[in-house]
Amino acid sequence: MRNSALITIEDLLKSYPMGKGEFIALRDINLQFEKGEFAGLIGPSGSGKTTMLNIIGSLDKPTQGDATVLDKRISRLSHKEAAALRNHHMGFIFQTYNLLPVYTVYENVKLPLLLLKHLSQKEMDGMVKDALEWVGLTDKIDSKPAQLSGGECQRVAVARAMVKRPKLVLADEPTANLDAKNAHNILQMMERLNDELETTFIFATHDEKVIKYLRRQISLEDGRVVADDIVQA
Amino acid sequence: MLTLQLAWKNTIGAGIRTWLNVIVLSVAFVTIIGMQGLYTGMLDRARDAMIRMELGDGQFWHPEYDPYDPFALSESHSAIPANLRDAVATGDAIPVLITQGSIFPEGRIKPILLKGIPPEQTILEIPTQSMVSDSDDDIPALIGSNMAENSGLSVGDYITVRWRDVNGTYDAADVRIAHIMETIVQSVDNGQIWLPLDRLHAMTGMENQATLIVSGEGARNITSAGNWIFRDIGFLTKEIDEIQEMSDSSLSIMYFFLLGMGLLAVFDTQVLSLWRRRKEMGTMMALGMTRGMLIRLFTLEGAMHAILAILAGAVYGIPLLTWFANTGFTMPEYVEDYGMALGRTMYPTYGLQLVIGTVILVFITVTIVSYLPTRKIAKLEPTDALRGKFS
């Protein structure tokens, strides 16, 4: 195991009880991700992409083996420690945006900073402004999610994921609800943020539009890694 | 502070759902204060009127006297105890002689109590001065307005009164209605005729005797008088306290239903909220919120309903209840027959204890009701929440 690895997954197995037996969602997973990667877990529905993303994101725990994320062993984290890890170092982007409907764009983006608890109002304002500038939404600062298009909502979600400048952003089917133009815009924006901020992006997707942008493609089938390809630019 | 900020935002953001709950809760809140205030005011007024018109600073009772046993009245009189005579002479205590009698309004017999009291007394706020008369043949009497109405008597009317003297012999005389007093204290009104004490002494042959002595401010230091029993205000108003206790429990049932409606609305909102906002909870968890923070957030959102209801209740409740306290609440006529010093118009009294107590009650019950459904979050897995499921 290399010391520079941001994420190390070793002999990971994840199973769920199903009736009297169990369903194995992931098995024999051994992977490493470096800082600044723009990687994707690709495969059909049910291949285990989201499960793996959830384990990396400390939202779920492995049944066997382990994932070490930013030097934290996921299987050993308590609920509170996992929350703290996500709070400080991770950003999430979801297929359905998951913006909070009663909050404005500004408040949605600010929420992860409020949870950090150590930032002054001025610092937070500056960081939210930066994040909204990255995604080109400074003119929508007071809008509610219901007043935005799907593409704009996903840009807000990206801003919310990026606002605290996390080391790792996990995006689960981020373009599934977007048209081609919006999908490309969002991906170009993420690619730029990856270049500028060296944030590691890991996608779970089966969308060709996303796959084209990935610099590393990890293919999953029936819970197993069947290919791990570096794509030359 | 963060939880408070978020809870406030979510509560206000929920719009009409929040305001419906707030309206129901605030109506319950204002109604409880209004009703309890009305009731407290009624009893306070009754207690105050009884003290001013009947009880004074306490009473010394003849050892045989029992206000609930009219047959004991023939035995419950004797000479005024020695250590009270000075107070009686200086007007610091009033002797009252009570005996049974009958009147015959509209040709039917009506049992009454004849009560003798010195007309010049100033301790009780009964207009006894109206019974002062220079004529030996005239027996002036004072009655209450209820007694006058029930017996068809007016000022200046003469009515035949029959009684038994000290030897048990029936005697009768015509008394003149000198004054009809307006009072809410039925125990000095209904079925009673007040006479000058010296006249009743003469009529009954019970010279210098009394059934009870009403103690005034100047006789406060006297707390024993031979075998006569001192009854303090606490004892004498026990009946009101008992009524209050009894009614408190029946009012509690009404409060329970009133508050119950509000609480049900909050509970319903909380349950629906948890169900509708599962993904939101998952997102919050993904952003780094712990389950404990989520439980606090949702509980606080519920408790916000109570805070808003209290504020909304204050906005319309303060002017409404103040108006109510000033104009009073006029009762139908039949309540005067209840026997209690109710009065035709009742004025609510809102004590600080009542208002603060109700605020605390509403806040605590709403918070508990808000917390109960959120316990489900304690078992919530982030991945399930993000998928819109409960574990």
Side-chain angles (χ1 to χ4, degrees):
Chain A
M1 183 169 62
R2 287 177 293 179
N3 286 337
S4 63
L6 195 76
I7 300 162
T8 305
I9 300 170
E10 290 174 300
D11 302 327
L12 187 136
L13 180 135
K14 178 69 185 176
S15 62
Y16 297 101
M18 182 180 270
K20 287 179 181 172
E22 60 179 16
F23 167 73
I24 296 176
L26 291 170
R27 70 179 87 200
D28 305 327
I29 307 289
N30 288 283
L31 287 169
Q32 282 193 340
F33 294 89
E34 306 296 325
K35 186 184 175 191
E37 280 202 44
F38 202 74
L41 306 166
I42 57 179
S45 291
S47 58
K49 309 182 294 286
T50 300
T51 304
M52 191 135 97
L53 212 62
N54 285 340
I55 290 171
I56 293 169
S58 73
L59 294 168
D60 206 350
K61 288 193 171 181
T63 309
Q64 277 175 30
D66 213 342
T68 304
V69 179
L70 296 157
D71 299 327
K72 306 279 183 195
R73 298 188 71 167
I74 297 296
S75 64
R76 294 185 184 177
L77 293 180
S78 68
H79 173 74
K80 273 189 181 176
E81 287 166 339
L85 178 66
R86 292 192 295 271
N87 188 6
H88 287 94
H89 303 296
M90 292 184 195
F92 288 83
I93 300 168
F94 304 97
Q95 178 180 342
T96 49
Y97 328 130
N98 291 23
L99 299 178
L100 305 184
V102 300
Y103 295 4
T104 61
V105 165
Y106 172 84
E107 289 162 341
N108 264 290
V109 177
K110 189 180 170 186
L111 187 58
L113 302 179
L114 287 172
L115 291 168
L116 284 173
K117 292 181 181 171
H118 63 262
L119 297 168
S120 69
Q121 186 61 42
K122 199 176 164 187
E123 285 173 313
M124 285 192 281
D125 285 343
M127 291 168 85
V128 174
K129 199 177 150 213
D130 286 348
L132 288 172
E133 271 173 13
W134 295 333
V135 299
L137 276 177
T138 44
D139 56 330
K140 302 279 184 181
I141 202 159
D142 294 321
S143 303
K144 295 266 176 81
Q147 299 167 304
L148 303 176
S149 68
E152 286 171 330
C153 281
Q154 196 59 300
R155 279 151 69 190
V156 177
V158 173
R160 182 179 65 184
M162 294 301 299
V163 68
K164 61 190 172 192
R165 301 180 189 206
K167 291 180 177 156
L168 176 63
V169 169
L170 303 169
D172 191 2
E173 305 281 11
T175 55
N177 286 352
L178 301 179
D179 57 38
K181 190 182 167 199
N182 269 312
H184 285 300
N185 284 342
I186 293 280
L187 286 159
Q188 280 166 1
M189 194 176 66
M190 290 189 199
E191 206 173 33
R192 183 167 47 83
L193 291 169
N194 169 254
D195 287 340
E196 287 175 11
L197 304 173
E198 280 193 277
T199 305
T200 304
F201 279 78
I202 301 176
F203 295 82
T205 187
H206 62 273
D207 184 346
E208 285 300 326
K209 298 190 289 291
V210 179
I211 294 169
K212 278 197 284 183
Y213 281 84
L214 299 175
R215 291 178 208 137
R216 181 181 175 191
Q217 297 172 1
I218 300 158
S219 302
L220 293 174
E221 250 180 52
D222 296 330
R224 284 194 171 92
V225 175
V226 292
D228 184 352
D229 304 318
I230 304 294
V231 181
Q232 298 302 320
Chain B
M1 195 62 194
L2 166 66
T3 317
L4 197 67
Q5 275 179 313
L6 298 179
W8 174 252
K9 192 79 199 164
N10 290 342
T11 308
I12 297 299
I16 190 77
R17 275 182 295 131
T18 293
W19 295 114
L20 283 174
N21 285 342
V22 166
I23 289 167
V24 175
L25 267 178
S26 75
V27 167
F29 170 65
V30 170
T31 309
I32 288 173
I33 292 182
M35 298 225 32
Q36 187 63 49
L38 183 68
Y39 195 70
T40 307
M42 181 183 86
L43 292 177
D44 282 354
R45 193 157 178 255
R47 185 182 282 107
D48 181 57
M50 278 178 77
I51 290 169
R52 284 187 292 107
M53 300 203 78
E54 187 186 12
L55 309 178
D57 273 14
Q59 295 180 343
F60 290 92
W61 285 5
H62 184 277
E64 298 298 324
Y65 176 60
D66 178 355
Y68 298 106
D69 182 5
F71 299 108
L73 282 175
S74 58
E75 305 299 325
S76 52
H77 53 85
S78 64
I80 295 166
N83 65 334
L84 282 170
R85 281 178 201 154
D86 284 347
V88 169
T90 55
D92 291 326
I94 319 163
V96 176
L97 178 64
I98 306 172
T99 184
Q100 276 189 292
S102 313
I103 57 172
F104 305 90
E106 295 162 355
R108 55 193 170 81
I109 189 165
K110 179 174 182 176
I112 54 152
L113 289 178
L114 291 170
K115 288 187 169 178
I117 187 168
E120 65 282 2
Q121 67 82 27
T122 54
I123 292 174
L124 299 180
E125 290 181 16
I126 299 176
T128 49
Q129 291 79 3
S130 59
M131 294 191 293
V132 174
S133 172
D134 295 333
S135 166
D136 286 347
D137 299 330
D138 180 35
I139 308 174
L142 170 67
I143 59 172
S145 52
N146 264 337
M147 173 72 174
E149 197 178 321
N150 295 339
S151 308
L153 294 171
S154 307
V155 173
D157 284 355
Y158 282 85
I159 186 159
T160 303
V161 175
R162 190 182 69 161
W163 70 92
R164 276 180 153 176
D165 67 13
V166 71
N167 301 313
T169 308
Y170 279 110
D171 204 346
D174 285 344
V175 302
R176 173 177 60 87
I177 305 301
H179 185 74
I180 294 172
M181 62 178 164
E182 289 293 335
T183 176
I184 61 167
V185 184
Q186 299 308 306
S187 49
V188 300
D189 180 346
N190 271 345
Q192 296 177 41
I193 294 181
W194 293 83
L195 298 170
L197 182 62
D198 54 347
R199 305 307 291 267
L200 190 59
H201 280 157
M203 286 157 65
T204 55
M206 300 173 187
E207 305 294 344
N208 297 319
Q209 294 193 12
T211 305
L212 57 91
I213 312 279
V214 179
S215 177
E217 214 176 326
R220 268 187 191 158
N221 55 338
I222 307 170
T223 50
S224 66
N227 60 347
W228 285 48
I229 304 153
F230 181 68
R231 302 296 193 192
D232 62 13
I233 293 296
F235 178 86
L236 295 168
T237 56
K238 200 169 67 180
E239 208 172 317
I240 289 184
D241 296 335
E242 281 169 2
I243 291 170
Q244 183 151 21
E245 269 173 37
M246 237 164 50
S247 303
D248 276 352
S249 50
S250 47
L251 279 176
S252 308
I253 295 170
M254 203 182 68
Y255 298 159
F256 176 78
F257 280 111
L258 269 173
L259 201 56
M261 283 192 297
L263 295 178
L264 200 64
V266 172
F267 187 79
D268 186 48
T269 303
Q270 286 291 84
V271 171
L272 276 176
S273 191
L274 286 175
W275 183 251
R276 279 164 30 96
R277 292 167 62 192
R278 288 157 299 172
K279 267 197 174 178
E280 186 179 323
M281 286 188 263
T283 307
M284 297 274 206
M285 285 168 132
L287 294 179
M289 253 197 190
T290 60
R291 290 176 185 138
M293 281 174 84
L294 272 177
I295 289 174
R296 281 199 294 280
L297 175 65
F298 276 76
T299 304
L300 205 55
E301 280 182 28
M304 287 272 178
H305 290 111
I307 295 169
L308 289 173
I310 289 161
L311 293 176
V315 167
Y316 72 87
I318 290 174
L320 182 73
L321 296 178
T322 307
W323 173 81
F324 198 31
N326 290 330
T327 56
F329 179 75
T330 305
M331 301 290 285
E333 279 185 30
Y334 59 78
V335 298
E336 294 193 349
D337 299 331
Y338 285 178
M340 251 190 72
L342 288 177
R344 184 67 64 83
T345 303
M346 295 196 290
Y347 296 91
T349 308
Y350 315 111
L352 200 62
Q353 194 184 352
L354 167 66
V355 176
I356 291 175
T358 313
V359 166
I360 292 171
L361 173 77
V362 170
F363 185 73
I364 290 177
T365 48
V366 170
T367 306
I368 291 170
V369 162
S370 304
Y371 165 72
L372 293 176
T374 65
R375 289 176 305 167
K376 223 172 162 55
I377 296 173
K379 293 177 190 163
L380 186 65
E381 290 300 333
T383 46
D384 286 339
L386 282 167
R387 281 200 296 264
K389 275 171 53 180
F390 263 118
S391 310

